[in-house]
Amino acid sequence: MSRVIAASGACALILVLLVACAASAARTEPGAARRLWDDGRKVGGRTEVTDEEGDREVQDLGRYSVEEHNRRRGEGCEDGGVCGRLEFARVVSAQRQVVSGVKYYLRVAAAEENGAGTNGVSDGRVFDAVVVVKPWLQSRALVRFAPADAK
């Protein structure tokens, strides 16, 4: 008997919550939920990192991308890739995108060991790097590293 009373009490509580939610939704003005996303963002879209210079994770990922490039450097030299060893300077700009993990689109300034800076950056050349981070696996992977387009 007590189980029946407890189950009916739980059902009554759920019913009250559903009615309260419906009443609350009816009182909000039309289109209010839609305006939450009217700032141009999309689910799964890229977002700018506002303080890339002060964001330690972004700077660490930029350093990682250059180190990984140096480790892999022999691969792709025939295709016009960057063959020289690079020294990390800083991340110039960054974007984040939530995928299966977080994908970082980095613009990295790096100096070639044997050359002077080009591409208008005193730190050296500018490169585009894409790094995917999966914190639950404690992994990060360099997907792309190439010279940035001159803009």
Side-chain angles (χ1 to χ4, degrees):
M1 181 75 174
S2 65
R3 287 185 184 171
V4 173
I5 293 172
S8 65
C11 288
L13 179 61
I14 291 173
L15 182 63
V16 168
L17 289 174
L18 287 173
V19 169
C21 288
S24 174
R27 278 198 311 252
T28 60
E29 58 187 275
R34 207 171 327 137
R35 278 199 303 277
L36 291 174
W37 297 101
D38 278 351
D39 62 355
R41 293 184 302 155
K42 294 181 182 174
V43 175
R46 294 185 192 185
T47 57
E48 290 291 327
V49 176
T50 54
D51 182 24
E52 67 276 339
E53 298 272 338
D55 191 322
R56 184 174 176 192
E57 181 182 21
V58 167
Q59 294 299 321
D60 286 346
L61 289 172
R63 184 171 286 105
Y64 163 77
S65 68
V66 171
E67 289 170 358
E68 187 65 14
H69 159 75
N70 287 338
R71 190 180 70 74
R72 296 181 190 175
R73 68 179 187 200
E75 304 170 15
C77 283
E78 303 80 32
D79 301 331
V82 181
C83 300
R85 184 169 174 76
L86 298 174
E87 291 184 34
F88 173 77
R90 63 191 169 95
V91 173
V92 177
S93 65
Q95 295 178 330
R96 283 186 182 98
Q97 180 182 22
V98 177
V99 291
S100 178
V102 180
K103 186 181 267 190
Y104 288 87
Y105 296 87
L106 307 172
R107 186 146 285 192
V108 178
E112 291 185 79
E113 257 185 2
N114 59 355
T118 60
N119 208 7
V121 176
S122 61
D123 296 318
R125 295 178 60 192
V126 178
F127 299 89
D128 287 329
V130 178
V131 180
V132 175
V133 178
K134 296 183 180 180
W136 66 94
L137 296 176
Q138 297 178 345
S139 76
R140 54 188 177 180
L142 180 64
V143 176
R144 180 174 184 272
F145 192 90
D149 296 332
K151 292 181 181 177

